[in-house]
C-alpha cells in the first residue's frame, strides 16, 4: 500500500511531529499555507469521508478531540483556528487517507 | 439565548433545509461562497471545538456522517467537496454554535 501518511506515522518518512496518541498522529505540513499548518491524521487508514459510516464514526471524534488538544498545546485555542477536510477532486484532496488541516496564526480570510 | 441556529432549527427564522435527522439540521448558506454551500449544524448547542471533550465527541460523528449523507443526496460525493469548521476570531467563526461548512460544485482552490 502506497500511503504517504502511513509511512510518516511509521517513521519511514521524516516529519515534524506535533502530537500523537493511540489513534492520531499530527505533524507540520511541509508546504504551510498559514503560520500554523498541521496535518492531523488517523492512524487507521480510511480514504475519505465517503468511506465512513456508523462503524467508523469514531474517526471523527478521535481527529477533532486531537485538534482541540493540539490547539491548547500550541496556545491557539483562544486566538482561533480553521479546520478543513478535503474530499475528492473538487475538494482538493491530495492524499487519500482522511486527514484534517489545522490552520492558524493569522486572521484566516474567506472560506474559499 | 440568542442563538441564530437554534432559531433556524426551531423554524422561527426561515431556511432552505437540505437534510435533517434526530441530531443534525442542514440548510443552505444565505451568502454562498461556492455553487453548493451548506451549513451542517448539530441540534445541541456547543459553542466551538474548544468546548468539546470526550463526553461530547459524538457531535463530530453526527456532523460528519450527516455530511456524507448530504454529499450522496446532492450527488457531489464523487466530484468532491470541502468541509470547514471555523473556531474563534482567527478562524473566522461568525456564529458560536459549532457547525460545518460544506462547499462544492466547483474546483475549490487553495486552503486559505
Amino acid at each position: 500500500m502506497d500511503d504517504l501518511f502511513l509511512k510518516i506515522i511509521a517513521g519511514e518518512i521524516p516529519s515534524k511531529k506535533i502530537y500523537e496518541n493511540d489513534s492520531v498522529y499530527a505533524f507540520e505540513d511541509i508546504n504551510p499555507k498559514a503560520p500554523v499548518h498541521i496535518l492531523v491524521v488517523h492512524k487507521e487508514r480510511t480514504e475519505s469521508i465517503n468511506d465512513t459510516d456508523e462503524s467508523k464514526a469514531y474517526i471523527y471524534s478521535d481527529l477533532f478531540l486531537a485538534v482541540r488538544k493540539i490547539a491548547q498545546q500550541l496556545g491557539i485555542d483562544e486566538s482561533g483556528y480553521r479546520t478543513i477536510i478535503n474530499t475528492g477532486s473538487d475538494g482538493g484532496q491530495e492524499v487519500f487517507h482522511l486527514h484534517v488541516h489545522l490552520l492558524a496564526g493569522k486572521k484566516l480570510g474567506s472560506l474559499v
Side-chain angles (χ1 to χ4, degrees), chain A:
Chain A
M1 189 189 296
D2 191 26
D3 182 325
L4 174 64
F5 289 163
L6 287 181
K7 289 178 180 171
I8 286 174
I9 292 166
E12 295 167 18
I13 295 173
S15 66
K16 290 193 180 173
K17 183 167 83 170
I18 297 293
Y19 176 85
E20 183 174 15
N21 64 23
D22 286 347
S23 56
V24 168
Y25 186 91
F27 57 99
E28 291 182 3
D29 193 294
I30 54 168
N31 292 308
K33 301 292 195 300
V36 174
H37 186 174
I38 293 161
L39 301 181
V40 186
V41 178
H42 206 279
K43 290 182 176 178
E44 179 184 318
R45 180 172 188 262
T46 302
E47 282 202 5
S48 78
I49 291 175
N50 289 337
D51 302 295
T52 57
D53 58 16
E54 286 72 7
S55 72
K56 292 212 169 190
Y58 60 87
I59 286 178
Y60 301 113
S61 307
D62 291 343
L63 288 171
F64 283 96
L65 291 179
V67 164
R68 172 178 162 268
K69 287 179 183 166
I70 294 164
Q72 291 175 324
Q73 176 184 312
L74 299 180
I76 55 169
D77 50 339
E78 295 302 321
S79 48
Y81 48 97
R82 177 168 291 166
T83 41
I84 300 176
I85 301 176
N86 294 328
T87 303
S89 174
D90 278 0
Q93 185 174 11
E94 293 177 348
V95 178
F96 283 82
H97 178 139
L98 204 162
H99 57 287
V100 177
H101 294 265
L102 169 57
L103 298 149
K106 70 173 185 179
K107 288 267 181 197
L108 297 159
S110 185
L111 292 170
V112 291

